[in-house]
Each structure stands twice: as C-alpha cells, then as structure tokens.
C-alpha cells in the first residue's frame, strides 16, 4: 500500500484507540544495548535497511492476527516523525519486490492469507556497497530484523528464524562499517543475539517486538527520544538456545512431539538460569533507559499477612525524563523442598520522572506469595528459615533489602493434589540457592535488616475443593417421563458418580427473562428443555455473526453481518426461549474477524454458493485497532497501562457488537520457540497473572462484556497441539503453569475460560473434572463458563461432566446426546446407515455424518446391531461395502426380508442429563449478564430492561496479590 493511501486510511480511523496502541507499543519496547549513547537519534537523516523496515511485522499469524485497516511500517513511522530517510531507493525496491512476491504466490489459501495473516516470506536480500554509498548522506543506519510466528507452527532454531541468516549478518557488517552509528531493531520475539557482540561496531540493540498497527510510529517515538524506553524483558534471553531448560524436550526435540515431559519442573526461565548459574545474554526484567535511576529502599515491613517494600526511585540523569520498574524478588530457604534461587514477588513502575525528580513506591504483596507447593502435603507451604528480599531493576541487578526469618514451617493454603503425573520422571533439582562464594551477596545479607515472622501468626486457609464430585443432580419437571425411560444400573454402568434427581415445577414457554425476574429458577428453566435443545445450546457455532438472526443460516448471516467473528453462542433459541446469542472474537492483539474478501473467496470456491451476493461495509472504515501483541504489553510492566488497553479494547468490542474477547493468552513461555509466545506474556507466572488481571479488569469494566482467558492449561507448544500430552508434576503445574490463570481468576473473575487442545498428564484438559471443576471452581471460585478450544478432538460427553460447558466452535450435537442416551444406529430402508450433514461454515463444507450414534462399526467388534430390509427392497451398495469389509453380514429371512447384522462396539451412556443441564446453567448465568440480553425481548410485552453491570467489578480482588501506592 502506498504511503499516501496509508495516511488517508489513518485519518479515517476515529477514536482514541490507535493513539493508545501507539502509546502502549512505545512503553513496551526494550532497549538492550546503547553503546556510546547513540540513542536517541539526534541527527535528522537516517539510512534504513532490513526487510522489517517496509514489511514490518505487526503481530503474529493465526487466530491471534488482528484485522486492521492499516499498518504503519518502520519506514513510514520514521517519515511521519520527520526523519529524512537516505536509503529510499533500496526501500522502495524492496517493497516492490515484496509486493510482487505476495501477488504472484498463489500457494497460500484464502483462509491463511486473509484470516490468519500469513504472507510469503522474503529473506533479506544482500546489501551491496552501492546501497550503502547511496545512503551515506546519513551518519546513522538502522537495520530492522523481523520474524513472523503464529498459531499452528512452532519456531525453529535455524537461520532465518531463531538465528540470523549469513546474509543478515553480512548486511549488519556492512552497515556497521559504512555508518558512524548503527542500530539494530528487533521486530521479533526472542532470537539469538550473539551477532551483536560478534560485529563489534554495532552500537545499539532495541527490541521493538511486534508492536501492532501503530508500530512504526511508536518505534519512531522511542528512537527520536520522544519516549524514553522503559520496557523490561519478560523472558530470559539466553546466550545459546541449548541453555534453555526445556530445549531438550520441546517440540520434537525428544520424540514426535506427542508426549512432552516437563522434566525441568519448576525451573523455567530465570528460575533455572539463576539457580543453575547459567549466564544469560539479557536477563529477565532487564531493560535500559536513556537516563539513569537510583533505587533506594527506605523500609521493608512484614506482618502475618503482607510484605511491604518502600523504595524511592530517583532519576539521576540530567537530560531525559523516564520511568523505572522496581522489581522485588524473594529467595526462599531450601528445606524439604528444592527452591529456585529467586522468584518475582512484586513490582511497580514509576510515573514519568523528570531529571532530578524522585517518587516513592510502596509495593505490598502477601507473605503467602513466597510459599512453595508441596506435593507431599498437598499444600502451599512456607518452610522455616531466612527469606531474602532482593530489590532492583532487573532479576540480576538487585540488592538484598531485608531478610525475613520465619521461625517454623507453615502451611498457607491447604489443597488436594489433583493432577498426578502420568510418566516416570522426577523434576530437575539440586540447584544452588545462594552462591556463598559471592562476597558481595554475603555482605549484603549481613547488612540487611532482619525481620522476624512467627509462623503461628500466619493463617492457614483451607481452599481444597468442596465440590461433591460423586454425584450430579438432574432436574426433572414434575410429571417428566425421563425416569421411566432411564434404566438404572445397566446402560450407565461405566460412570463413577451417581445421578440424583430433583423435581421442579413445570414452566412451559418460559423465557430466560423469567429467571432474571425470579419468576422461575434456573433449574426449572433447564428442566423443561429436552436433551436436543440442551445439546444444541451447549454447542457454540462458527460463522454466525448476527445476534438477531433466528435461523442458523450462515449465508443469511453473511449477508447481514459486517464480518465474521471466530464464533458465537447459538442463536437458535432467541425466540423460543429468549436466550440471546453472543459473539466471540479473537484475539489478544485486536479484533479479528473474517473480511469480506475471505468470505467471498470461500463462497466462490463452491459452485452452489459462487453467485451469492454479499454486501458489506468497507472494512477499512471499521476502525479496528491492532494493539501490540501480548508479550509487548507485558514488557511495559505497567499495570495501569494494561487496564487502559483493556478498556480501549473493550470499548471496540462493544462497538462491534461482540461479547467475549478470546484473550488474553496466559500460557507460560516454557521455551522461546513456541509459535504462539507472542500472544502470551512471560516465562513468569506472577507477571502473567498480574498483567492478565489488569487487562481483564479493564476490558470487563464495560457492562456486559468479558474475556476468555486461554489456553487452560500447559499449552506450551504448537507441535502436536491437538491431543499432545504435557506431562508435568503437580508442583510445576501449581507454581508455574496454573498460577497465572489462578491469579487472574481470583482477582479479575474472567467471564469465560478456554481449555486447551492438549492433555495434561494423560487427560484432555476439557475432559478433566479435576482441572475444570475442582481447581477452577472449587479452589479458585470461578463463576463463568468454560469453553473448549475450536473443534477440539475431545470427548464432548466427558467435557460436559468435567465442567467444560460449551463446545466451540460447535460440534455434532449427537456426541452429547449419545453420551446421555446411548442412541442406537439409524438405518435407511435398504439397510445402510442413514446420514446427515452438519451445519457448514459460511455455507461451504458441511460434514456428512453417518448416524451410527453409540455404535462404532468394527470387524472385530464384540457387539452387534441389526437392520431389517423389506422383501421388495434390495440391500444398498453401502451395505455391500460393509460386507466386503467384514463388518456386515446379510441373511435372507423366510419371508424374503433381509437382516443385515453389523459388528461393532456399543458404548453405553456415560454421563447424565444433569451434566448437560449444569453446563447449560453455567452458560445461561453468564448470558444473563451479557449486554445482548436486552436485544432479545420485545419492549411491547411490558418487559423492563435487565440491568447489565460490568462483569468484573462484582469480583475485583487484585489486592490479594499486589498493591502499589505511589507518592
Ligand atoms: C485457537 C484459539 C482461538 C480459536 C478461535 C483456535 O484455533 O487456538 O486461540 O481463540 O481458534 O479462533
């Protein structure tokens, strides 16, 4: 797109969100090197090179791609900021080649291209001496290295991805030699940075990250000194990829990727590097500024509940204002449990401080945040001994500010072990907590104040799940025939819980509104729904986009909607039951919808729909904002900023009639090569949880909308993401992989949770009662509904029992019906199995399903079922196929009729009606709080609008994890 067009489009975008995106982007960029203080750039002329200069990557690909009307490249951003770019010839030539490549490459499907944002990659071409000479009117050169990553594919430790290519390195050598000052901008996630030290004349290294649609402008803000960088890394950047503790087992490094043993246990990121004395290239929490700061700890206090650190931060520089992040790490004593060297316990970011100015931060966190999870006790425990509090501005630049001496060990929270390891390995252990040879550390400890903490004063909370997992209640309308159809003992033999029954008064033709008004109970409301209705309700849908559409007709919807979101809850029961449907929209970095072009491409692929006329508003008018990706937002370490971005995002969702944002992604960066790390925040769970909570509180501050935190849990690679098994110890789960979710659930009460595609310790996450019910609801108090990730291969019946309430993006409802009722196969009159077609996606590609129901045809099956074919009818071709496959046998009866006997395995019903009712109730309770609820009732019936409140404010409790006061 030409620059003039870009500017035109930018001006069309109304509202403050692009500015918020730009501000957030600049706040999360991290300055890694700044030799000779070449940054900020003072000269007005710049030579700009590298593929990322023009084809700047705004975010990742896949569902996390954001739909946006424009993207500001680095080149454009520098021009906008008033720089003269001396390498225009090279840039324009690059851009032309890049565009041509995109046009000519027809190998990318419309879905990948338009929805997932996948482009054909063009490796950086070699620079020539001439390119350098032509641009030599500038004394400063910038080289932008970019990398794309996304859903469905992990990154690789190869040149062109984790490593620079030889051409890139040579190009850097040329610019380092050809210009007085040379700056490398990383438009990437973690990469190998050895090149920076190998090429000596390079001066600065700036992590731009994937900065959203305003990325180029934000980068210019930082390069020019308009904004002083204050971002800090949320991951350890290792010297070598092999230094990462998960690298031996990540992806296919230890097999086919289907079984991954998290052998490093709790030693993820800096917990590993610090404990096992591995020097990183750039440590967790690191980030430079244009100015200097001094952090002075004024006081540390501890009581039975909280630790408080008061630290004064002073800008000791003379030229630039800036912000600093105070980071507090706690080192727990080694007792029965192995301990990491330190863990992040609290942090706070100052306001912008002018040179010479200071600000005092009071950072408070609960004592219990220093506890470790003991599998032996099934509890979080503070072991007796000395706890060191380290305060500084990165994980490796701290001073011991206090020693808290705990007299005896104390359980802070009693739980039950829930997710036992299924593989035979023991977690890594045996690191050294304090290096006694480090004289400076020993001296700091000796000089630090000693604070006494009495174990007896600390409370033990009993938070073990109190949910009764041994029974499920089925609600029956008085006079219901359900019990007479149900034969106890036989067809439900393989359930390990009992079905209780409760009768409720009938409420025919009731609407969800009647529940709100208290005329009927929710139990009554679901008791009068038949199984088919319930199963339809708890299946979401993909491709419905308009709240008011009664029929689930994708083409009708396509005509009416602006664009397609990733999914919705169903619209089938708007009229009959007054149940609103809600749109669910990706993703972490901005509204992600299907564009007109994609839908047209889909429709045109199918002869039946090729001529469909679809009218849409111009998407370029839509004004969606591509915010910076999750990891950049987290790199701000700015909790207030997270809330602001959450609010801005939420407003856009409401404006676009969406209810649920499928974000934030709270998975942990176990390894830098996970393809979706850009969507997630950090290797550290506390930072993840706090930043996630603040975003959610912001987003959910708008009435009637919410988020879906995802992917719950231990979804740490894209290789074999569907059904792959993550084997993780309970301790590592509790301390690392669940912790961010736990903080966010407890402190921000997200409207929904999305389970992941993978298994944990052999059990599908969506089918895990322990995860979805005991931990999420029983221990953490989650109140919303749980949905599967899209088209998961899980057992949907089991999902219902486990507490995964909604199957996204909608599956064959018979899976749930069969799980409750064990239906027999349905045959055609010719003895062959009957078929039906599932609803299709945008009118194309509905799946044909054979109605075998609870019978799985198999040649070696132990059960049989039969179809009778009347004498005047021939058995069909499909029957013959089954005979050939030795699954069916045909016998001619005396009266000329034929009996077709199929062999196979019959699966008895294995869940109860109550399981599905429970899921429906969880969903309906949330729908009642959605803003769409008022759309479905007609004012002429005398209905008074339902009062819709912000979902989060009902629950807010972040104070239990972190409190920061500024003075
Ligand atoms: C992704 C989710 C996403 C969903 C809907 C899935 O493939 O894993 O993160 O929210 O699709 O687009």
């Amino acid at each position: 797109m030409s620059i003039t067009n870009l500017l035109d489009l930018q001006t069309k975008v109304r509202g403050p969100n692009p500015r918020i995106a730009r501000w957030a982007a600049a706040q999360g960029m991290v300055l890694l090197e700044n030799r000779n203080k070449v940054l900020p750039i003072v000269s007005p002329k710049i030579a700009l090179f590298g593929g990322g200069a023009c084809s700047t990557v705004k975010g990742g690909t896949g569902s996390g791609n954001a739909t946006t009307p424009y993207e500001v490249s680095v080149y454009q951003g520098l021009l906008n900021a008033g720089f003269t770019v001396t390498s225009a010839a090279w840039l324009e030539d690059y851009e032309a080649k890049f565009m041509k490549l995109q046009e000519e490459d027809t190998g990318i499907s419309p879905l990948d291209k338009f929805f997932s944002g996948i482009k054909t990659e063009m490796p950086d071409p070699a620079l020539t001496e001439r390119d350098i000479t032509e641009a030599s009117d500038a004394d400063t050169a910038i080289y932008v290295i970019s990398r794309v990553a996304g859903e469905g594919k992990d990154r690789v430790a190869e040149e062109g991805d984790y490593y620079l290519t030889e051409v890139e390195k040579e190009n850097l050598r040329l610019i380092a030699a050809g210009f007085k000052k040379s700056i490398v901008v990383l438009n990437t996630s973690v990469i190998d940075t050895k090149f920076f030290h190998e090429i000596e004349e390079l001066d600065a290294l700036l992590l731009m990250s994937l900065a959203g649609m305003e990325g180029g402008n934000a980068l210019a803000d930082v390069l020019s000194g308009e904004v002083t960088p204050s971002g800090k890394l949320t991951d350890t950047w290792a010297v070598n990829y092999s230094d990462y503790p998960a690298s031996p087992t990540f992806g296919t490094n230890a097999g086919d990727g289907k079984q991954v043993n998290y052998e490093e246990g709790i030693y993820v990121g800096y917990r590993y590097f610090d404990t096992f004395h591995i020097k990183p290239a750039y440590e967790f929490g690191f980030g430079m500024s244009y100015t200097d700061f001094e952090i002075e700890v004024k006081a540390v206090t501890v009581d039975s509940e909280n630790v408080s650190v008061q630290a004064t931060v002073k800008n000791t520089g003379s030229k630039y204002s800036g912000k600093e992040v105070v980071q507090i790490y706690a080192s727990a004593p080694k007792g029965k449990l192995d301990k990491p060297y330190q863990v992040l316990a609290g942090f706070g970011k100052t306001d912008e401080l002018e040179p010479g100015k200071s600000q005092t931060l009071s950072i408070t966190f609960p004592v219990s945040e220093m506890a470790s999870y003991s599998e032996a006790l099934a509890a979080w425990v503070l072991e007796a001994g000395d706890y060191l509090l380290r305060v500084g501005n990165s994980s490796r630049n701290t001073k011991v500010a206090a020693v808290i001496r705990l007299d005896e060990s104390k359980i802070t929270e009693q739980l039950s072990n829930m997710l036992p390891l299924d593989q035979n390995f023991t977690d890594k252990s045996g690191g050294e907590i304090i290096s006694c040879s480090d004289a400076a550390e020993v001296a700091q400890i000796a000089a630090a104040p000693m604070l006494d903490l009495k174990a007896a004063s600390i409370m033990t909370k009993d938070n073990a799940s109190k949910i009764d997992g041994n029974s499920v209640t089925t609600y029956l309308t008085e006079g219901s025939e359900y019990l007479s159809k149900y034969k106890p003992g036989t067809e439900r033999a393989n359930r390990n819980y009992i079905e209780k029954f409760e009768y409720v008064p009938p409420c025919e033709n009731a609407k969800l509104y009647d529940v709100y008004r208290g005329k009927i109970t929710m139990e009554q409301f679901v008791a009068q729904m038949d199984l088919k209705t319930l199963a339809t309700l708890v299946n979401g849908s993909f491709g419905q986009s308009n709240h008011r559409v009664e029929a689930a007709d994708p083409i009708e919807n396509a005509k009416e909607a602006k664009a397609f979101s990733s999914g919705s809850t169903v619209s089938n029961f708007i009229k009959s039951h007054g149940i609103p449907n809600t749109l669910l929209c990706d993703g972490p970095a901005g509204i992600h919808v299907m564009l007109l072009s994609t839908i047209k491409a889909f429709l045109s692929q199918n002869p039946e729909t090729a001529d469909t006329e679809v009218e849409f508003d111009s998407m370029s008018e839509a004004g969606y904002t591509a915010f910076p990706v999750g990891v950049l937002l987290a790199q701000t370490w700015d909790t207030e900023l997270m809330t602001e971005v959450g609010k801005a995002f939420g407003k856009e969702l409401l404006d676009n009639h969406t209810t649920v944002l499928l974000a934030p992604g709270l998975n942990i960066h176990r390894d830098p090569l996970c393809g979706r790390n850009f969507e997630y925040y950090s290797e550290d769970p506390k930072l993840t949880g706090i930043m996630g909570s603040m975003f959610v509180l912001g987003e959910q501050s708008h009435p009637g909308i919410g988020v879906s935190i995802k992917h719950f849990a231990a979804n740490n690679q894209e290789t074999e993401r569907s059904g792959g098994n993550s084997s993780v110890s309970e301790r590592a789960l509790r301390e690392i992989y669940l912790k961010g979710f736990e903080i966010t659930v407890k402190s921000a009460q997200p409207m929904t949770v999305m389970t992941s595609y993978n298994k944990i310790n052999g059990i599908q996450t969506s089918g895990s009662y322990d995860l979805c019910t005991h931990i999420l609801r029983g221990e953490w108090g989650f109140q919303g509904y749980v949905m599967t990730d899209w088209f998961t291969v899980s057992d949907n019946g089991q999902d219902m029992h486990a507490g995964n309430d909604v199957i996204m993006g909608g599956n064959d409802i018979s899976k749930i019906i069969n799980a409750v009722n064990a239906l027999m196969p349905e045959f055609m009159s010719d003895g062959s199995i009957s078929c039906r077609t599932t609803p299709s996606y945008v009118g194309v590609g509905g799946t044909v399903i054979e109605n075998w129901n609870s019978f799985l045809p198999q040649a070696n099956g132990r059960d049989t079922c039969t179809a009778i074919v009347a004498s005047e009818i021939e058995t069909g071709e499909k029957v013959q196929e089954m005979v050939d496959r030795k699954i069916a046998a045909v016998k001619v009866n005396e009266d000329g009729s034929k009996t077709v006997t199929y062999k196979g395995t019959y699966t008895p019903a294995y869940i109860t009606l109550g399981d599905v009712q429970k899921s429906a109730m969880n969903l309906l309770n949330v729908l009642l709080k959605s803003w769409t609820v008022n759309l479905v009732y007609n004012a002429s019936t005398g209905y008074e609008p339902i009062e819709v409140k912000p979902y989060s404010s009902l629950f807010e409790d972040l104070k239990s994890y972190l409190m920061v006061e500024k003075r």
Side-chain angles (χ1 to χ4, degrees), residues 782-951:
F782 175 67
Q783 318 241 340
Y785 72 82
V786 181
M787 68 179 86
T788 63
D789 199 345
W790 268 234
F791 310 116
T792 167
V793 293
S794 60
D795 171 341
N796 295 164
Q798 176 59 22
D799 295 341
M800 291 291 105
H801 175 63
N804 187 114
D805 309 302
V806 176
I807 309 297
M808 283 305 307
N811 212 336
D812 174 12
I813 61 166
S814 70
K815 292 192 173 194
I816 292 175
I817 296 176
N818 285 320
V820 179
N821 263 352
L823 297 180
M824 295 304 286
E826 291 158 34
F827 294 106
M828 307 284 286
S829 54
D830 70 354
S832 64
I833 193 71
S834 68
C835 292
R836 66 186 191 287
T837 308
T838 58
S840 55
Y841 171 51
V842 206
V844 182
T847 320
V848 175
I849 291 182
E850 297 184 335
N851 293 322
W852 287 106
N853 291 324
S854 289
F855 189 82
L856 178 67
Q858 288 165 320
N860 56 357
R862 54 163 197 246
D863 305 318
T864 55
C865 65
T866 53
I868 304 291
V869 181
S871 55
E872 67 278 12
I873 299 177
E874 292 293 313
T875 50
E877 265 176 39
K878 270 167 77 185
V879 174
Q880 189 53 45
E881 268 172 41
M882 296 301 257
V883 172
D884 294 346
R885 288 168 59 197
K886 306 216 173 352
I887 293 174
V890 182
K891 187 178 138 233
V892 182
N893 302 318
E894 275 175 14
D895 61 359
S897 67
K898 283 139 298 226
T899 303
V900 185
T901 305
Y902 290 93
K903 278 202 274 180
T905 308
Y906 177 70
T907 306
Y910 55 96
I911 63 166
T912 69
L913 183 62
D915 284 309
V916 192
Q917 290 176 337
K918 172 173 58 78
S919 291
M921 288 193 277
N922 286 333
L923 169 66
L924 292 171
N925 277 322
V926 169
L927 293 182
L928 261 181
K929 297 186 181 117
S930 148
W931 69 272
T932 61
V933 74
N934 285 316
L935 289 179
V936 302
Y937 299 102
N938 184 339
S940 65
T941 59
Y943 137 86
E944 279 172 42
I946 287 176
E947 191 196 348
V948 180
K949 294 187 191 142
Y951 194 81

Side-chain angles (χ1 to χ4, degrees), residues 412-647:
T412 54
E413 190 181 8
Q414 184 63 57
L415 299 170
S416 300
N417 287 331
M418 285 289 162
L419 305 163
L421 191 63
D422 65 331
Q423 299 287 313
N424 194 13
F425 66 85
T426 43
D427 283 2
K428 185 169 203 63
S429 65
E432 231 184 292
I433 302 182
I434 299 170
S435 145
C436 293
S437 55
D438 184 346
E441 170 136 333
V442 173
Q444 279 176 26
I445 296 171
M450 172 78 71
L451 309 172
D452 275 325
L453 180 59
K454 296 270 175 266
S457 69
I458 302 173
M459 238 177 61
T460 300
K461 291 184 195 151
D462 176 7
N463 282 345
S465 170
K466 308 292 179 298
I467 294 175
D468 170 17
N470 297 319
S471 71
V472 167
T473 303
T474 293
Y475 297 93
L476 299 175
T477 300
E478 282 154 7
S480 144
E481 288 173 17
Y482 177 78
L483 269 184
S484 58
K485 285 192 201 155
Y486 160 63
K487 300 179 215 77
T490 50
E491 79 267 55
R492 281 158 214 254
N494 51 356
R495 263 201 283 108
N496 58 1
Y497 56 97
I498 54 165
E499 183 175 22
K500 289 183 185 165
F501 298 97
E502 216 174 274
Y503 283 92
V504 291
C507 56
E508 255 171 66
N509 302 324
K511 300 274 193 285
L512 185 59
Y513 180 67
D514 299 322
V515 178
Y516 174 76
R517 283 279 163 238
K519 281 199 203 156
I520 56 167
T521 62
M522 189 63 96
E523 286 78 8
Q524 267 176 283
F525 187 56
V526 296
Q528 44 107 39
M529 291 179 183
D530 61 19
L531 180 56
K532 188 171 173 214
T533 303
L534 286 166
T536 307
L537 182 61
V538 296
N539 265 280
S541 101
F542 187 51
Q544 283 191 16
S545 282
N546 195 302
H547 315 283
R548 279 157 274 207
V549 177
E550 167 74 1
D553 177 340
I555 294 187
E556 281 309 308
N557 283 342
K559 285 184 198 163
E560 290 188 34
K562 261 194 203 165
F564 278 80
S565 68
S566 302
S568 69
T569 54
V570 291
S571 55
N572 306 41
F573 307 110
I574 292 177
K575 281 194 188 139
S576 58
H577 295 74
I579 298 174
N581 85 322
T582 48
L583 291 191
L584 281 48
C585 186
D586 282 301
I591 289 193
H592 186 202
V593 291
M594 287 282 263
L595 294 180
L596 167 66
S597 43
T598 318
I599 295 165
K600 276 190 172 159
F602 266 108
L603 297 176
S604 66
Q605 279 171 0
N606 186 324
E608 279 173 39
T609 52
D611 298 329
T612 313
E613 290 283 320
V614 190
E615 290 303 325
F616 284 79
D617 292 349
S618 156
M619 289 306 298
S620 59
E621 305 279 343
Y624 299 133
T625 308
F627 293 95
V629 299
V631 69
L632 184 149
L633 292 176
Q635 281 165 196
T636 66
W637 292 61
D638 185 336
T639 50
E640 292 157 31
L641 177 146
M642 282 314 264
T643 311
E644 285 313 309
V645 173
K647 277 187 194 158

Side-chain angles (χ1 to χ4, degrees), residues 210-250:
L210 312 177
M213 72 186 200
E214 285 284 334
N217 286 334
L219 180 75
D221 290 341
V222 172
L223 291 173
S224 66
E226 187 66 30
V227 172
T228 299
S230 63
K232 306 278 179 185
L233 295 179
T234 60
D235 291 314
T236 304
W237 285 45
V239 174
N240 303 300
Y241 171 65
S242 57
D243 291 344
Y244 285 105
S247 60
T249 53
F250 176 79

Side-chain angles (χ1 to χ4, degrees), residues 56-207:
T56 309
V57 180
K58 74 170 190 309
T61 58
S63 61
N65 174 34
T67 311
T68 178
Y70 68 86
E71 292 169 36
V72 182
S73 68
V74 171
Y75 181 24
Q76 182 58 43
L78 291 176
L79 292 178
N80 292 347
F83 285 103
T84 302
V85 177
T86 59
S87 53
W90 185 88
L91 291 162
E92 273 150 30
D93 182 54
Y94 176 93
E95 193 167 27
K97 284 187 183 134
F98 185 80
M99 298 305 268
K100 189 157 174 271
L101 185 69
Q102 305 311 313
E103 279 158 26
E104 284 172 358
D105 190 341
T106 48
I108 300 180
S109 73
L111 182 71
D112 283 347
K113 199 167 184 172
F114 298 112
F115 189 62
S116 299
I118 294 176
K119 293 181 182 153
T120 310
E121 284 183 43
M122 183 166 107
D124 278 14
L127 290 180
T128 61
E129 291 288 351
R130 195 164 148 217
D131 296 326
I132 305 288
T133 322
E134 275 180 5
S136 63
D137 195 20
D139 71 347
T140 304
I142 299 177
Y143 195 98
V144 187
I145 291 170
S146 55
R147 295 288 186 264
V148 189
E151 181 177 356
K153 197 163 160 234
D154 283 320
R155 296 179 54 201
V156 285
E158 287 171 12
E159 284 184 14
D161 191 346
Y162 188 73
Y163 298 101
L164 261 51
T165 61
E166 281 309 319
V167 171
E168 285 170 328
K169 283 193 204 165
E170 193 47 40
N171 289 349
L172 289 178
R173 276 187 206 106
L174 280 177
I175 71 149
F179 296 87
K180 209 166 141 223
K181 303 171 189 173
S182 43
I183 297 159
V184 184
V185 168
L186 301 180
N187 176 213
T188 67
S189 297
V190 183
I191 64 166
D192 183 275
T193 53
K194 280 198 284 293
F195 71 86
F196 190 83
H197 305 280
E198 285 162 11
I199 305 168
E200 273 174 20
E201 299 99 322
L202 292 174
D203 296 297
L205 186 62
L206 177 67
L207 173 61

Side-chain angles (χ1 to χ4, degrees), residues 656-773:
N656 285 284
H657 297 182
T658 298
T659 300
V660 177
L661 173 67
L662 303 169
L666 298 179
N667 297 97
I668 292 295
H669 294 169
R670 174 178 180 248
D671 188 276
L673 299 185
C674 170
R676 295 185 84 172
N677 273 1
F678 70 93
E679 294 183 58
Y680 310 144
Y681 291 155
S682 171
E683 66 186 21
D684 181 79
K686 175 128 191 188
L687 186 64
T688 298
I690 298 291
M691 298 305 259
S693 300
M694 296 309 281
F695 177 88
V696 175
L697 289 170
E699 200 266 3
Q700 294 192 164
S701 65
H702 299 280
I705 63 167
V707 301
S708 186
I709 57 173
K710 66 188 188 185
H711 308 89
F712 188 54
N715 186 181
N716 301 103
Q717 63 181 44
E718 290 300 284
T719 307
E720 296 295 343
R721 69 172 181 155
S722 247
N725 186 26
S726 304
S727 292
V728 200
S729 71
E730 177 118 10
R731 178 173 180 196
L733 282 167
R734 298 276 187 182
E735 290 191 18
I736 309 288
Y737 298 101
L738 299 182
K739 178 95 186 178
F741 289 97
E742 175 179 0
I743 294 175
T744 310
V745 167
K746 286 184 177 171
S747 52
Q749 195 59 239
M751 191 179 251
T752 78
V753 170
M754 187 194 297
T755 47
S756 52
Y757 288 123
N758 56 288
K759 296 179 188 140
I760 294 181
N761 295 331
I763 298 173
Q764 197 73 47
T765 55
S766 57
S768 169
Y769 190 91
D770 292 334
L771 188 69
C772 300
T773 297

